[in-house]
């Protein structure tokens, strides 16, 4: 099997080229992979032909292949991307005036068993490599002619998987995505969302190059959170909030709390008031999302009036936004990503 180059840092490419090659050759390969976003090694025209062919004997670029592309009436595009071992993951492009957001996966499936999420039904197949995480961004960007003006692009790790259970690959991918000699996306424009793997939150905070942190709260009491997200029986709400208070925010940064509203379950006025109390001392924003329904999900979407009432209460105390469902017609919305064969 040829080895993918995507995922490698400059010094690793240098090692592959061998000691006989001058340093600028490794830089040319790095630039071609991460800045020019080439799809094939033959496109690296700056390399001498012999070197290019030698490299191609044992290596590929390693971009995930686009297996299927689904287009929503609202402009959202969902991608089924095929990895080297034949497994597939999903990524979603959400174009908006002035900015594009790519939602990527960090694992094939997910080992966390949230009761309202379709990815949970798959279980975990495997972790993605850093190259596969970066590759999702580059494949989707290539397909849409993005990254030419890289600064408009936002990346959210909110597709399939729990990023903090694949932290080394997520961090390496973040370093590659933010490198100004490569892809060059600002760390302010990359966000990771977690179900709340507490020990990993501190680890993330200690990293010099890291995405912004979003936390899936989804309930206003310990009991309800344990019911909806059984993993939180291990990682308690009070400890999660302690970890959030201890988290070293950068001066431009706020925490985001995501809250998926389930009709008649966690969407009352009392829930909203408890959310405000829980988050009172944190520099944070709350993002609400009404449940995206799906087969096998035993919950309902709340009425729009209920969602509005919930938002109105939280907004009195902290910024609180309602995330619009995008691409529901193509099953591209949050929690709907699941491999369909
Ligand atoms: N595993 C991480 C990131 C992927 S899930 C996490 O849980 O945070 C991204 C977001 O989608 C989470 O906030 C999750 O609560 C939300 N989500 C999952 N299923 C959903 C559904 N059916 N409808 C709406 N949001 C959902
Ligand atoms: Fe995994 Fe996130 Fe889905 Fe929970 S909501 S099962 S953590 S992907």
């Amino acid at each position: 099997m040829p080895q993918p180059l995507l995922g490698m840092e400059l010094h690793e490419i240098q090692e592959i080229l061998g000691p006989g090659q001058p340093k600028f050759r490794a830089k040319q390969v790095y630039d071609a992979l991460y800045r020019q976003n080439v799809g094939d090694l033959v496109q690296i025209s700056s390399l001498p032909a012999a070197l290019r062919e030698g490299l191609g004997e044992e290596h590929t670029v390693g971009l995930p292949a686009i297996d299927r592309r689904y287009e929503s009436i609202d402009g959202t595009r969902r991608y089924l991307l095929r990895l080297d071992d034949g497994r597939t993951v999903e990524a979603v492009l959400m174009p908006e005036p002035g900015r594009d957001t790519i939602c990527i996966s960090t694992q094939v499936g997910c080992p966390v068993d949230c009761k309202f999420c379709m990815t949970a039904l798959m279980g975990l197949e495997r972790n993605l490599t850093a190259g596969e995480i970066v590759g999702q961004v580059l494949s989707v960007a290539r397909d849409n002619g993005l990254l030419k003006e890289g600064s408009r692009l936002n990346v959210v790790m909110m597709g399939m998987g729990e990023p903090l259970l694949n932290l080394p690959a997520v961090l390496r991918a973040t370093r590659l995505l933010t490198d100004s000699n490569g892809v060059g996306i600002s760390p302010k424009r990359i966000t990771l969302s977690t179900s709340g793997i507490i020990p990993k939150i501190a680890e993330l905070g200690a990293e010099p190059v890291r995405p912004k942190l979003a936390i899936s709260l989804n309930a206003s009491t310990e009991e309800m959170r344990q019911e909806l997200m059984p993993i939180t029986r291990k990682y308690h709400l009070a400890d999660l909030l302690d970890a959030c208070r201890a988290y070293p925010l950068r001066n431009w940064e706020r925490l985001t709390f995501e809250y998926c509203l389930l009709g008649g379950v966690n969407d009352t006025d009392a829930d909203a008031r408890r959310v405000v109390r829980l988050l009172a001392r944190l520099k944070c924003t709350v993002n609400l999302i009404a449940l995206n329904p799906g087969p096998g999900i035993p919950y309902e979407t709340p009425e729009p009036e209920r969602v509005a009432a919930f938002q109105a209460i939280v907004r009195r105390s902290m910024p609180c936004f309602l995330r619009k469902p995008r691409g529901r017609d193509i099953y591209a919305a949050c929690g709907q990503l699941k491999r369909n064969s």
Side-chain angles (χ1 to χ4, degrees):
M1 273 282 273
Q3 218 194 342
L5 292 173
L6 273 186
M8 291 186 188
E9 292 175 2
L10 184 62
H11 69 97
E12 292 161 325
I13 295 173
Q14 175 80 52
E15 276 164 37
I16 280 184
L17 294 180
Q21 293 296 334
K23 265 225 164 73
F24 72 89
R25 291 290 178 216
K27 284 202 180 124
Q28 286 173 325
V29 174
Y30 187 91
D31 187 89
L33 289 175
Y34 296 110
R35 198 204 289 267
Q36 298 165 41
N37 199 357
V38 297
D40 197 297
L41 294 180
V42 298
Q43 292 172 298
I44 314 184
S45 50
S46 56
L47 290 189
L51 182 60
R52 203 164 56 216
E53 280 155 26
L55 190 61
E57 275 165 23
E58 285 172 34
H59 296 88
T60 59
V61 171
L63 274 179
I66 296 174
D67 217 48
R68 301 203 58 177
R69 187 199 293 107
Y70 307 83
E71 300 234 16
S72 165
I73 44 171
D74 68 14
T76 302
R77 291 179 161 193
R78 173 163 70 107
Y79 288 87
L80 192 64
L81 299 172
R82 200 176 56 254
L83 309 171
D84 276 349
D85 66 353
R87 287 192 162 87
T88 53
V89 287
E90 304 201 6
V92 179
L93 171 67
M94 293 164 279
E96 275 173 276
R99 72 160 187 195
D100 300 303
T101 302
I102 301 181
C103 175
I104 57 170
S105 298
T106 53
Q107 298 180 308
V108 186
C110 184
V112 182
D113 49 357
C114 303
K115 298 302 178 202
F116 46 84
C117 173
M118 289 190 64
T119 307
L121 300 174
M122 280 179 73
L124 176 68
E125 293 192 12
R126 69 168 172 86
N127 276 338
L128 293 182
T129 64
E132 289 166 339
I133 295 171
V134 173
Q136 294 170 69
V137 176
L138 294 181
S139 271
V140 173
R142 248 181 92 75
D143 194 50
N144 293 277
L146 308 175
L147 275 178
K148 303 230 153 55
E149 347 141 40
S151 63
R152 281 168 32 109
L153 196 59
N154 292 273
V155 173
V156 295
M157 298 181 188
M158 297 191 187
M160 295 161 66
E162 168 48 61
L164 292 192
L165 293 179
N166 187 16
L167 188 54
V170 161
L171 289 173
R172 173 184 275 254
T174 304
R175 288 194 295 270
L176 290 167
L177 288 172
T178 54
D179 182 3
S180 56
N181 292 317
V183 189
I185 300 174
S186 160
K188 296 183 182 178
R189 289 178 175 268
I190 303 182
T191 301
L192 156 170
S193 171
T194 180
S195 56
I197 312 296
I198 295 170
K200 299 288 173 185
I201 290 177
E203 248 180 73
L204 179 71
E207 285 294 323
V209 180
R210 56 184 149 99
K212 292 197 293 181
L213 177 58
I215 291 168
S216 298
L217 183 64
N218 294 334
S220 69
T221 64
E222 177 78 57
E223 297 69 34
M224 179 59 72
R225 200 155 182 271
Q226 289 188 9
E227 185 181 320
L228 300 176
M229 306 170 74
I231 194 173
T232 65
R233 288 175 201 157
K234 187 158 152 204
Y235 300 120
H236 298 287
L237 181 55
D239 298 333
L240 175 65
L241 295 171
D242 280 346
C244 290
R245 278 185 281 270
Y247 192 76
L249 288 171
R250 290 158 284 193
N251 58 14
W252 47 266
E253 188 175 14
R254 308 170 72 86
L255 290 169
T256 300
F257 286 91
E258 291 158 282
Y259 196 102
C260 177
L261 291 158
L262 312 175
V265 175
N266 64 356
D267 65 344
T268 64
D269 287 356
D271 283 302
R273 286 191 291 267
R274 280 193 294 265
V275 166
V276 166
R277 250 176 282 138
L278 289 174
L279 306 182
R281 286 165 49 224
L282 288 161
K283 185 181 168 196
C284 69
T285 298
V286 176
N287 278 343
L288 302 176
I289 180 154
L291 176 79
N292 290 306
I297 302 301
Y299 298 104
E300 281 169 18
T301 306
E303 297 297 327
E305 299 74 37
R306 184 86 299 274
V307 175
F310 194 105
Q311 183 185 16
I313 292 172
V314 179
R315 209 169 38 193
R316 269 185 242 134
S317 304
M318 56 194 69
C320 178
F321 303 97
L322 180 59
R323 289 219 324 242
K324 283 188 235 94
R326 303 234 9 192
R328 264 199 197 166
D329 53 335
I330 54 167
Y331 304 105
C334 268
Q336 293 190 319
L337 301 188
K338 190 190 164 188
R339 198 170 88 192
N340 27 8
S341 31

